[in-house]
Amino acid sequence: MKDIQAAGGSTADRINIPIGSQGANRHLSLDLGEGVRQHVLIAGKTGSGKSTLLHAIITSGAYRYTPDELQFYLLDFKKGVEFKPYAEASFPHARVIGIESEREFGRSVLQRLDEELRGEKFRAAGVQELDEYRKASGQKMPRIMLVVDEFQELFIRDDRLAGDCAMLLDRLVRQGRSFGMHVVLSSQSLAGAYSLPRATLGQMAVRIAMQCSEADAALILADDNTAARLISRPGEAIYNDAGGLIEGNQPFQVAWLSNSAHREMLQSIAHRDQGHVQSLPPAVVFEGNRPCRWTPVLANQVVPSSEDKSLYGLLGEAVEIGPPVAVKLTRDTGRNLLVMAPGDSRGSVVATCAASFFKSDPRTEVIYFDGARVDDGESVGPWLSESGISSKVIKLRDVESEIVRVHGIVQERMKEDGDFPPIILVIDPLERFRDLRQEESFNFSLDAAASSVSGATALQECLRDGPAVNVYSIVVSGSAETLSRWLPRASQHDLELRVLGRMNASDSALLIDTPMASELSAATMLLYDDTDGRISKFRQCDLPDPADVKAWLTSS
């Protein structure tokens, strides 16, 4: 290869990317941008070398062209980390990198590209093609290449999301040609009930077939062109830019880079092109296989303006391109929060919410009912105080007297209007507090005898009346069965906001009228709002360092 510093290619009229060899001295290039050769369809079974081919397309393209000539949108729906090296190397050509992407994230990327179809700019310049626009305006406009590995995951279910993706991809394939947008779709198999319509696939004139079955060979090339079934070794492929016709077959060997050489090349490209990306926003990197990291920048995105008196609690990064997902507490009936998730996920949800609530209104007091046992791991209680959040930790023996005390505060506040300091009750977890269980809480302590209100009744009335006077509850529960045993149906309806982690389909359907929560990964959760049935999917935050949170809370 030539020296890495020399990348003088122009994409004004086409893209030409070397991707392999045909014999000893002849190279094969991916040639896009002329005639019907605009989009690429790749098929090959596991181990055939598809990932190697995608790396060759991306790395070779970045080697030949600078980011102001060519940009990539990378989506990987395979349960792996094929595109992670590009995120780690701060790959300058990538605008989006999806590692183990969620379907919702894929749709949002397609929507973003759909918005960038550039029609208005072209109409304003009175042109129809990318090269004409560059000549007329005197400005560079990069070509965009969308690379989707295992694209059929977008259509794994016959739902609205799949329909949206099919429509958006069809529009990109049909209209992207004029605007310099190219789509590369890769899959192990094109067979199956759910996929892109054949009409859309038919618009993709460049086909690359690797090791595959005879049925897939016919699908990727043509019914009478099953040459791909004869491929016997990984890395061998057939390049066809004639819509699959037999006369267009060009056998070749995919270019290969070792992992170390690949990383070195990406680092060299990043160093060479760092000056080109200073004017661009940072790339969007989505890692669907792990929780997101709490940062002050992320947390600041949910802090309300001074005029907004609501409390906002950060939950995590949305699985779509857009602002983070947050819970909003307003002084309306039912605005309490239920958290039902695996034990190792609950602490971070409570912590990040509490920190954001306190930032929303520094008068906020968190009363943490601590039901943690020795074998449960660390309680969130100490974290709250170390973070500088005004908090009070209540142990099991004091639960009933404290909930009755808070109930009294609610009753007093209901007698008059006012801007009351917010109080957040956190009951973690509900099943540890027998004093709060409906109609079965038998407590003969002096506190109970002196009070006309039981702990269970006090909790139910706090859920019902508290939000109107700035007293909110976060109820953490292990299962829908526990919730039903502890709270009557009316009180369950007072938990309008629900954060759910992965659970069985029946619990999910009972809580949010859909089994969606049963399909979550370990890193993703749902926020459901019962007032309008809206569901927001997000990647939860890791438990942040209390020192970092304290510094953020004290900053202006």
Side-chain angles (χ1 to χ4, degrees):
M1 283 187 173
K2 297 179 181 178
D3 188 272
I4 194 66
Q5 298 296 328
S10 170
T11 62
D13 55 357
R14 63 194 285 194
I15 298 176
N16 187 270
I17 302 174
I19 57 173
S21 61
Q22 294 177 304
N25 299 308
R26 187 178 174 191
H27 299 295
L28 179 84
S29 293
L30 178 65
D31 198 352
L32 301 178
E34 289 188 349
V36 297
R37 299 194 301 273
Q38 305 293 334
H39 311 291
V40 187
L41 193 59
I42 302 170
K45 64 185 181 181
T46 302
S48 62
K50 283 197 321 302
S51 296
T52 302
L53 174 58
L54 293 179
H55 287 311
I57 292 172
I58 298 164
T59 309
S60 185
Y63 168 79
R64 173 160 285 198
Y65 303 107
T66 53
D68 58 349
E69 295 286 349
L70 178 62
Q71 294 178 359
F72 289 97
Y73 286 67
L74 308 177
L75 291 176
D76 181 11
F77 290 97
K78 189 164 55 181
K79 300 302 179 185
V81 289
E82 288 298 335
F83 291 157
K84 190 160 188 174
Y86 302 102
E88 293 174 340
S90 299
F91 187 53
H93 296 69
R95 295 293 84 218
V96 170
I97 303 174
I99 303 164
E100 206 172 308
S101 303
E102 297 282 340
R103 296 170 72 230
E104 292 86 352
F105 182 74
R107 177 177 61 182
S108 70
V109 172
L110 295 177
Q111 289 170 337
R112 177 166 165 172
L113 286 171
D114 187 55
E115 292 167 1
E116 287 187 13
L117 273 175
R118 304 169 168 178
E120 292 183 7
K121 289 184 177 180
F122 280 40
R123 282 191 293 272
V127 298
Q128 294 183 336
E129 303 286 343
L130 179 67
D131 58 336
E132 295 175 356
Y133 175 82
R134 290 177 62 151
K135 291 174 184 175
S137 66
Q139 299 176 350
K140 282 189 175 182
M141 177 178 282
R143 288 184 183 267
I144 290 174
M145 184 175 286
L146 168 67
V147 181
V148 187
D149 195 9
E150 299 304 336
F151 76 93
Q152 286 191 301
E153 287 294 316
L154 288 168
F155 311 103
I156 200 69
R157 283 183 290 280
D158 188 12
D159 56 12
R160 178 179 175 180
L161 194 153
D164 289 346
C165 291
M167 177 193 68
L168 290 164
L169 270 173
D170 184 73
R171 188 180 299 160
L172 287 174
V173 166
R174 292 179 185 276
Q175 299 182 16
R177 178 192 67 80
S178 299
F179 306 124
M181 292 187 176
H182 308 280
V183 178
V184 178
L185 301 181
S186 169
S187 181
Q188 292 181 24
S189 173
L190 298 180
Y194 302 126
S195 183
L196 272 174
R198 293 297 294 269
T200 305
L201 296 177
Q203 295 287 323
M204 308 185 75
V206 179
R207 310 292 179 92
I208 301 178
M210 310 188 80
Q211 278 181 298
C212 58
S213 67
E214 185 169 352
D216 276 320
L219 285 171
I220 183 67
L221 296 174
D223 291 339
D224 59 348
N225 185 3
T226 58
R229 66 187 171 84
L230 302 175
I231 296 174
S232 58
R233 293 184 301 177
E236 290 184 343
I238 293 174
Y239 180 93
N240 187 304
D241 60 4
L245 297 176
I246 293 177
E247 55 267 31
N249 286 356
Q250 300 181 59
F252 74 103
Q253 180 70 37
V254 175
W256 180 80
L257 274 176
S258 67
N259 289 337
S260 58
H262 188 215
R263 285 194 297 270
E264 289 174 9
M265 193 167 185
L266 291 178
Q267 289 169 0
S268 299
I269 291 171
H271 178 72
R272 181 198 73 194
D273 292 334
Q274 59 185 348
H276 288 278
V277 295
Q278 292 177 353
S279 60
L280 295 172
V284 175
V285 179
F286 178 85
E287 293 188 70
N289 58 343
R290 61 172 301 278
C292 70
R293 180 171 171 266
W294 184 95
T295 64
V297 173
L298 182 68
N300 278 330
Q301 293 183 57
V302 304
V303 175
S305 63
S306 57
E307 296 80 18
D308 191 342
K309 300 302 181 183
S310 304
L311 298 180
Y312 291 82
L314 173 67
L315 292 173
E317 288 183 351
V319 297
E320 302 181 337
I321 296 177
V325 174
V327 61
K328 179 182 179 181
L329 301 184
T330 58
R331 293 179 63 168
D332 297 298
T333 302
R335 304 311 280 174
N336 299 294
L337 177 64
L338 170 68
V339 178
M340 195 173 292
D344 56 355
S345 304
R346 301 172 188 170
S348 59
V349 172
V350 171
T352 55
C353 273
S356 296
F357 291 152
F358 191 75
K359 186 75 169 180
S360 298
D361 189 336
R363 302 175 301 160
T364 300
E365 179 188 13
V366 177
I367 302 176
Y368 183 70
F369 291 79
D370 188 358
R373 293 177 178 168
V374 175
D375 57 353
D376 287 344
E378 285 192 34
S379 161
V380 179
W383 185 94
L384 293 170
S385 59
E386 291 171 20
S387 300
I389 297 170
S390 177
S391 59
K392 179 180 180 181
V393 177
I394 308 299
K395 293 299 183 181
L396 282 168
R397 62 182 178 274
D398 302 318
V399 164
E400 186 164 41
S401 59
E402 181 63 21
I403 196 71
V404 169
R405 184 187 73 84
V406 175
H407 174 263
I409 294 174
V410 171
Q411 298 303 310
E412 286 299 316
R413 288 185 175 186
M414 289 175 65
K415 295 176 181 177
E416 57 184 86
D417 294 327
D419 181 20
F420 304 111
I423 297 175
I424 308 292
L425 305 180
V426 181
I427 302 170
D428 182 18
L430 180 64
E431 51 265 32
R432 296 283 164 78
F433 302 103
R434 296 189 178 276
D435 289 343
L436 305 182
R437 186 171 173 176
Q438 58 171 335
E439 300 178 353
E440 297 178 29
S441 184
F442 298 104
N443 190 317
F444 298 101
S445 69
L446 292 176
D447 286 341
S451 173
S452 59
V453 179
S454 68
T457 301
L459 172 60
Q460 293 165 26
E461 294 188 3
C462 283
L463 290 171
R464 185 190 67 200
D465 302 326
V469 292
N470 245 10
V471 178
Y472 308 96
S473 298
I474 300 177
V475 177
V476 180
S477 179
S479 68
E481 180 187 3
T482 296
L483 188 69
S484 297
R485 287 164 57 198
W486 256 254
L487 294 177
R489 187 169 295 277
S491 295
Q492 294 176 43
H493 289 314
D494 288 326
L495 294 162
E496 288 184 344
L497 298 162
R498 299 174 182 183
V499 170
L500 306 186
R502 186 162 54 186
M503 61 179 58
N504 63 60
S506 59
D507 275 4
S508 175
L510 184 66
L511 292 165
I512 62 173
D513 299 325
T514 170
M516 274 183 67
S518 66
E519 301 161 0
L520 295 170
S521 69
T524 53
M525 305 179 84
L526 299 175
L527 170 64
Y528 171 78
D529 191 334
D530 196 43
T531 55
D532 56 10
R534 187 173 68 253
I535 296 176
S536 304
K537 192 174 180 181
F538 64 93
R539 285 195 305 147
Q540 67 187 78
C541 291
D542 278 326
L543 183 67
D545 187 304
D548 293 339
V549 174
K550 187 172 185 177
W552 174 64
L553 291 175
T554 54
S555 64
S556 57

